[in-house]
Amino acid sequence: MVLSCRDVWREISNYIENDLDPELRAHIEEHLAQCRHCTALLDSTRNLIVLIADERTFHLPAGFSARLRARLEQEMAGG
């Protein structure tokens, strides 16, 4: 089974939570060993979890969420 980046992105939360069957987890790990983009996404997602779990609050700049959403939509459309 060959996974695309989109397949990995769809399962990244389940991967982090170790909520995948062993076969799919192995395929994702194979993909991560070869793909710098997905490895960066995994690292970023883990960092976000740490930030969100931090009890301190911080303010995002005005328009940040709109810019983030636009960028994510652009990335997903580009494949």
Side-chain angles (χ1 to χ4, degrees):
M1 169 192 287
V2 176
L3 297 177
S4 69
C5 291
R6 194 171 293 243
D7 296 327
V8 173
W9 298 346
R10 195 175 5 258
E11 297 293 343
I12 204 74
S13 292
N14 293 329
Y15 179 83
I16 290 170
E17 294 175 5
N18 201 22
D19 191 23
L20 294 171
D21 69 55
E23 182 180 353
L24 180 55
R25 184 171 187 82
H27 288 297
I28 289 174
E29 288 174 353
E30 287 175 24
H31 182 92
L32 290 170
Q34 305 285 327
C35 182
R36 290 184 357 199
H37 292 113
C38 288
T39 301
L41 176 72
L42 175 62
D43 292 342
S44 297
T45 303
R46 284 182 173 151
N47 288 338
L48 281 171
I49 291 168
V50 169
L51 286 173
I52 290 169
D54 189 341
E55 293 179 3
R56 297 175 290 177
T57 61
F58 52 94
H59 298 280
L60 297 174
F64 176 80
S65 61
R67 289 191 306 274
L68 177 60
R69 181 182 182 103
R71 178 66 188 265
L72 290 172
E73 288 174 353
Q74 177 186 12
E75 290 291 326
M76 292 299 288

